[in-house]
Each structure stands twice: as structure tokens, then as C-alpha cells.
Amino acid sequence: MILFSFFKNEVLTMLGMDLKGKKAFVAGIGDDQGYGWAIAKALAEAGAEIIVGTWAPIYKIFTTSWETGKFDESRQLSDGSLMTIAKVYPMDASFDTPDDVPEEIRENKRYKAYSGYTLSEVAAAVEKDFGQIDILVHSLANAPEVKKPLLETSRAGYLAAMSSSAYSFVSLVKFFGPFMPPGSSALNLTYLASERAVPGYGGGMSSAKAALESDTRTLAWEVGRKWGIRINAISAGALGSRAARAIGFIGKMIEYAHQNAPLSKELKAEEVGKTGCFLLSPLASAITGVTLYVDNGLHAMGVAVDSPSLKEDSKEEALQNA
Ligand SMILES: NC(=O)c1ccc[n+]([C@@H]2O[C@H](COP(=O)([O-])OP(=O)(O)OC[C@H]3O[C@@H](n4cnc5c(N)ncnc54)[C@H](O)[C@@H]3O)[C@@H](O)[C@H]2O)c1
């Protein structure tokens, strides 16, 4: 085991993937199933110190599950040790300052026990506790009307999706950027529905992802020049995370990808985790403003090869041949 871990570290160092001494803030971990967790784990594997931001309403369940060992199996790193988290902050990415928090949220029983969960406050607390951050990950999204088609989405629902799923990234970068040294890097997670119609991905989420990708390019320019920070996005394929299960049709999307992507295999969260780690590491030092697909190649397809219309014995052909 020791020998293996020695070689692993040698190879990682050789590739410039040694993130020892680097501090990563990962926003959007609520369990061990999602992309945020997978990215955190890959970063930990490369030696980074992990700091987490968890949505305030699920902070308690996440920290309790962590403390009672529910995630121990998922925490296993390749050298046999367990991933550690230096600190978990309750946060809500829909709010920038305490003045933004409506009374009914402040008084809500899922929030009442916490304070300091707006983005400016979380950033100030992280700076106070850790001094600087080298790696920033935004792995969160929310749309109260995600199950409604765009046409049936209310203005409030659409703006809420934009606020917590797209502007939240701008805001995170705005508040964390000042204490991220040159050469630091930020990453967000997006989805193909930003550029192709994906029925079922509603509530303004497709619009929010389009905004997020556009902001990735614009922020890359702005913070590249201002602070020397890189900004990238991963357009990830379908994964049965907690958030995705809430949308409802994730099982079908996973099956669809399996049937129609160039690589007909399961997409593992860890594959997105490793790509994220690469983009966030010095290995990607000249990459910024990019949206990189990690989806078994599904984005490259122009047709669904399992469509009945493409079958040789399709109804139309059967009629023509009759
Ligand atoms: N699962 C997929 O199929 C898929 C595909 C492409 C992109 N993505 C993106 O990956 C990212 C991570 O999602 P996931 O699917 O891994 O699910 P997930 O459930 O692991 O992560 C989403 C997280 O967002 C948090 N969150 C929601 N609202 C928040 C708020 N206002 N403030 C702070 N945190 C909030 C949730 O608590 C949750 O922890 C999202 O941006 C999602 O859109 C997911």
C-alpha cells in the first residue's frame, strides 16, 4: 500500500497534479452522490485541503451523516485514508448580503439556527479562517419550477432559477476572487440543455445554464485580467444525484445516453471529478473560458440512434414496402 501510494504521488507530481498546500472551497455538497462530492474527492486525492459550503437547509443532515460515518465508504481515497473536510459552512447562494434575506427565510425553521450564510458573509468567514483559496468550485443549482415547461414557468420561478443557479457563480467569484492568488482557478457545472432543447429540463434551468456558460467566458476575461484567475465549466452528462432525481426524468436520460452516446457506458461522477481536478490544477494553466463536455460524447450526436424512425423496419418503410 505504501509503495503504491508512493508511485501514485510520484506520478501526480510529475504531471503537475500535486495540489498539496492548495485550499479548495467546494460549494454545493449535500451528500456523497453528486458532482461536488466527486470533484472534492479528486482534489483531495491530489492533496488539496477541502472546505465545503452546504445549503443551509440541509447543513444539519449533511454534517450529522458525516459525523456518524454514513459517508465513510465514499470517503476512501486510493491510499486507504479517508478524505477529510477542514470545515463545512452553511450557505445559501441565492443571497449576497444579510439585507437580501427575506424575513420568512430568516425565520424559517430550516434557517433559524444559522447566521452568516449569505455569500459575502461565507467568503469573509473563509478568508478569516483560511487566509486564501486557490480553488473554487460551484456545483449547485436550484429551480422551484423545474418540473414545469418553460412556457408555463412564472417570472418569479424563472428569476429564482437564474439567481441560485447562474448569478450565484458570478457572486461567488466576486466575493472569493479578492483572496484567490494569481494562478487560482474556478469551475462550475453546466448541462447540454443550455444549447439544445431537452424536454423536461424546465423552470428556466435551461436558460440559467446558458447564462452560466456565457458568464464563464465573460468572467474568464474579467478576472483573468483583474486577478489572474482561470474560469471554466464542465458540461456534464446525466447522473442520478439528489438534485437530478428531484427533476424526475433522470433515469430515462441516463438510459438515453447509454443508448445514444458514442461511449455506451455508465457515466461515473468520478470521471467528472477527475476532469474537474485537471481543469483546476496547474496542468490546465492555459485553459480558461472553456466549457468542456464530460458526457461520454453525447453532445456530439445529431440523431438519437435508438429512435424508432431510424429502425429498418420502421412503420413508414413497412407501409412503403407493402
Ligand atoms: N446530475 C446531473 O445529471 C447533472 C448534469 C449536468 C450538470 N449538473 C450540475 O451539477 C451541479 C451539481 O448537481 P448534482 O446533480 O451533482 O446534484 P447535488 O444534489 O449533488 O448538488 C446540488 C447541490 O446544490 C445545493 N443547492 C441548491 N440550492 C442551493 C442554494 N440556494 N445555495 C446553496 N446550495 C444550494 C443542494 O443542496 C445540493 O447539495 C449542478 O450545477 C447541476 O446542475 C448535474
Side-chain angles (χ1 to χ4, degrees):
M1 189 66 92
I2 288 169
L3 199 63
F4 174 73
S5 128
F6 171 77
F7 280 125
K8 186 198 83 178
N9 290 336
E10 278 297 283
V11 172
L12 291 177
T13 312
M14 220 163 59
L15 286 173
M17 189 64 103
D18 184 359
L19 299 179
K20 270 198 244 53
K22 304 284 183 204
K23 294 171 190 184
F25 183 80
V26 184
I29 296 185
D31 57 31
D32 59 351
Q33 301 295 305
Y35 284 136
W37 176 277
I39 293 169
K41 204 170 160 189
L43 291 169
E45 196 74 73
E49 182 175 13
I50 308 299
I51 304 149
V52 166
T54 294
W55 193 28
I58 59 167
Y59 175 86
K60 181 103 175 82
I61 185 162
F62 176 69
T63 49
T64 307
S65 301
W66 177 278
E67 281 153 18
T68 54
K70 192 173 164 215
F71 303 134
D72 282 3
E73 210 182 315
S74 312
R75 286 174 59 196
Q76 288 265 347
L77 300 177
S78 59
D79 65 1
S81 66
L82 294 186
M83 172 172 77
T84 57
I85 294 179
K87 188 162 178 180
V88 186
Y89 295 84
M91 62 177 273
D92 193 316
S94 316
F95 308 120
D96 296 329
T97 65
D99 287 347
D100 297 338
V101 185
E103 183 70 16
E104 70 266 23
I105 295 281
R106 210 174 305 132
E107 293 305 318
N108 183 298
K109 65 176 191 310
R110 296 165 83 200
Y111 285 82
K112 218 171 167 169
Y114 312 111
S115 58
Y117 48 77
T118 71
L119 292 185
S120 62
E121 294 171 287
V122 172
V126 171
E127 184 181 17
K128 184 165 171 280
D129 294 343
F130 294 93
Q132 74 176 49
I133 288 294
D134 309 280
I135 290 169
L136 180 64
V137 180
H138 174 283
S139 183
L140 60 96
N142 210 338
E145 299 180 20
V146 69
K147 290 188 176 169
K148 287 189 189 164
L150 186 57
L151 203 53
E152 289 166 27
T153 299
S154 71
R155 185 180 295 267
Y158 183 97
L159 294 177
M162 279 286 180
S163 168
S164 53
S165 310
Y167 185 78
S168 54
F169 183 64
V170 179
S171 182
L172 261 189
V173 171
K174 184 197 299 190
F175 291 122
F176 277 74
F179 60 99
M180 293 176 71
S184 301
S185 183
L187 179 74
N188 67 65
L189 276 297
T190 181
Y191 179 51
L192 191 64
S194 60
E195 48 176 321
R196 303 272 188 274
V198 177
Y201 195 74
M205 269 311 299
S206 55
S207 325
K209 290 303 192 191
L212 188 61
E213 289 174 28
S214 177
D215 296 344
T216 297
R217 293 182 286 274
T218 305
L219 286 176
W221 158 251
E222 293 184 5
V223 306
R225 288 300 177 101
K226 193 175 170 80
W227 294 313
I229 297 175
R230 295 183 298 108
I231 306 281
N232 291 297
I234 288 179
S235 182
L239 174 82
S241 62
R242 180 196 287 240
R245 286 197 306 273
I247 305 174
F249 68 124
I250 191 67
K252 287 188 183 147
M253 291 312 289
I254 291 172
E255 179 56 22
Y256 177 88
H258 212 93
Q259 296 300 332
N260 294 294
L263 301 175
S264 183
K265 65 173 184 61
E266 182 192 353
L267 174 70
K268 296 205 170 116
E270 67 185 64
E271 294 175 289
V272 169
K274 284 177 191 163
T275 308
C277 188
F278 157 71
L279 284 173
L280 292 161
S281 79
L283 272 185
S285 57
I287 301 178
T288 192
V290 156
T291 295
L292 183 62
Y293 300 103
V294 184
D295 65 351
N296 282 331
L298 187 65
H299 69 278
M301 297 302 295
V303 293
V305 293
D306 67 347
S307 166
S309 314
L310 299 181
K311 295 272 182 281
E312 273 175 30
D313 59 350
S314 70
K315 251 194 208 155
E316 202 178 316
E317 274 171 353
L319 280 175
Q320 274 171 8
N321 295 337

